[in-house]
Amino acid sequence: IIGKILTKGAKVTEFNEGDLVGVGAQVFACHRSDCKPCNNNLDPHCPRGVFTYNSKYPDGEQAQGGYAEAVRVDSKYAFHIPSSIDPLYAAPLMCAGTTVFAPMLRKGVKKGDRVGIVGIGGLGHLAIQYAHALGAEVVAFSHSPNKRQECLDLGASKFVLTSDKKDVDAHRHTLDFLFITSNSNSNQYNEFISWMDFEGIVVLLALPEGHMTFSPFEFVLNEVGITGSLIGGVNIIKKALEFASKHNIRPIIEKYPIDDVNNALQHMDDGKARYRIVLTH
């Protein structure tokens, strides 16, 4: 959400009425001294946390989300937008951008690492940009051959068409990290594991339905780790915005007026969005 502050509490000092700010996928966490998630920069996991959509504050008030005329936000979860970032492009950076950047920071992706991205969509196209800006050698995996040039333009060093067995075979045991951003079939994970070098890490960012199926033998044989990542907390969002500003990382968006929201949602449900839809008031 991007908007201007209408009013603020008496204890809020870092913002003024009229300031342009952004809000990500979370609007509250307790940040208490005895809260383990909050004290480990994992405030999205705070047991008292409130997400931006379809969630409730501790006092029972509903979080209204971005479709409302106004939204209540804890001041920690309002963010100044860097002047170099057009507000139209800022909102996706605080959700999709932060989602892909958070595990890259936590897992220590660095210059020279070999990073694979599965799924070149709303998350994947930003993951390519963040990993490239971190200095990694980025390999984009997609079943869509028409995305090859786009991936290379976004910063991928290589593009692998997943239906091309020869191309896939050439990249087995070559990756340090693999970020899965698409709802891949449950039986594809043995294939993903085979792309990893020893002690490589597979990071799940998408939430496919059902259960994943894979052979423990593959994990043990290759000493591969698998983990997941939710969104990023306050500190990660700030870093994601600053890093995007510095390295000119921007989402590819489509704009719809808020009055046309139903058509925008249908466009998304049809799988035609490229790659994040921004509703404008």
Side-chain angles (χ1 to χ4, degrees), residues 98-112:
T98 300
T99 297
V100 301
F101 192 48
M104 293 182 187
L105 288 181
R106 293 182 188 132
K107 305 304 177 188
V109 173
K110 62 186 184 302
K111 183 176 181 179

Side-chain angles (χ1 to χ4, degrees), residues 10-127:
K11 295 181 180 179
V12 176
T13 59
E14 65 270 35
F15 298 106
N16 294 306
E17 293 180 4
D19 283 355
L20 183 72
V21 297
V23 179
Q26 185 174 7
V27 291
F28 176 80
C30 73
H31 290 275
R32 288 170 27 172
S33 60
D34 62 346
C35 180
K36 184 176 179 180
C38 286
N39 281 284
N40 285 280
N41 286 323
L42 293 170
D43 36 304
H45 299 277
C46 172
R48 303 169 189 85
V50 181
F51 291 106
T52 306
Y53 301 93
N54 197 31
S55 189
K56 288 189 176 181
Y57 285 92
D59 63 4
E61 183 177 335
Q62 182 78 31
Q64 298 296 334
Y67 299 105
E69 293 181 356
V71 60
R72 171 187 172 188
V73 181
D74 183 286
S75 63
K76 291 184 179 68
Y77 292 91
F79 301 92
H80 288 292
I81 305 302
S83 59
S84 62
I85 300 179
D86 187 315
L88 278 172
Y89 297 90
L93 292 173
M94 291 184 292
C95 187
T98 300
T99 297
V100 301
F101 192 48
M104 293 182 187
L105 288 181
R106 293 182 188 132
K107 305 304 177 188
V109 173
K110 62 186 184 302
K111 183 176 181 179
D113 284 342
R114 299 160 298 172
V115 173
I117 310 295
V118 175
I120 313 305
L123 293 175
H125 87 287
L126 285 165

Side-chain angles (χ1 to χ4, degrees), residues 113-117 127-133 135-140 155-159:
D113 284 342
R114 299 160 298 172
V115 173
I117 310 295
I128 290 173
Q129 294 179 71
Y130 275 104
H132 172 70
E137 178 185 328
V138 184
V139 183
S157 303
K158 300 176 183 178
F159 177 89

Side-chain angles (χ1 to χ4, degrees), residues 240-277:
L241 286 171
E242 293 168 359
F243 195 80
S245 175
K246 180 179 179 180
H247 295 279
N248 197 33
I249 296 169
R250 300 293 185 272
I252 296 172
I253 65 170
E254 295 182 68
K255 296 184 294 182
Y256 279 78
I258 190 67
D259 293 340
D260 202 20
V261 61
N262 288 334
N263 286 330
L265 291 172
Q266 187 61 55
H267 185 65
M268 181 185 68
D269 287 343
D270 291 341
K272 297 178 180 179
R274 296 293 182 271
Y275 285 108
R276 297 310 258 189
I277 293 175

Side-chain angles (χ1 to χ4, degrees), residues 123-255:
L123 293 175
H125 87 287
L126 285 165
I128 290 173
Q129 294 179 71
Y130 275 104
H132 172 70
L134 286 167
E137 178 185 328
V138 184
V139 183
F141 293 84
S142 177
H143 66 273
S144 302
N146 61 337
K147 292 185 178 180
R148 178 186 299 273
Q149 189 57 51
E150 184 174 58
C151 289
L152 297 176
D153 292 341
L154 288 170
S157 303
K158 300 176 183 178
F159 177 89
V160 176
L161 185 64
T162 53
S163 61
D164 185 333
K165 185 178 183 303
K166 183 178 179 180
D167 200 8
V168 171
D169 286 346
H171 289 84
R172 297 195 190 280
H173 308 296
T174 62
L175 301 176
D176 300 303
F177 298 93
L178 180 66
F179 294 89
I180 300 176
T181 71
S182 64
N183 291 333
S184 304
N185 294 330
S186 63
N187 61 357
Q188 289 183 282
Y189 289 89
N190 278 335
E191 177 71 10
F192 296 154
I193 294 166
S194 74
W195 302 345
M196 308 307 298
D197 202 349
F198 295 114
E199 298 186 333
I201 299 176
V202 178
V203 183
L204 304 182
L205 298 175
L207 294 171
E209 295 183 3
H211 298 279
M212 299 184 302
T213 58
F214 47 79
S215 167
F217 180 79
E218 297 291 337
F219 275 100
V220 173
L221 184 65
N222 296 292
E223 300 195 17
V224 171
I226 186 167
T227 186
S229 182
L230 193 57
I231 56 176
V234 169
N235 292 333
I236 297 289
I237 292 176
K238 290 178 180 178
K239 290 178 181 178
L241 286 171
E242 293 168 359
F243 195 80
S245 175
K246 180 179 179 180
H247 295 279
N248 197 33
I249 296 169
R250 300 293 185 272
I252 296 172
I253 65 170
E254 295 182 68
K255 296 184 294 182

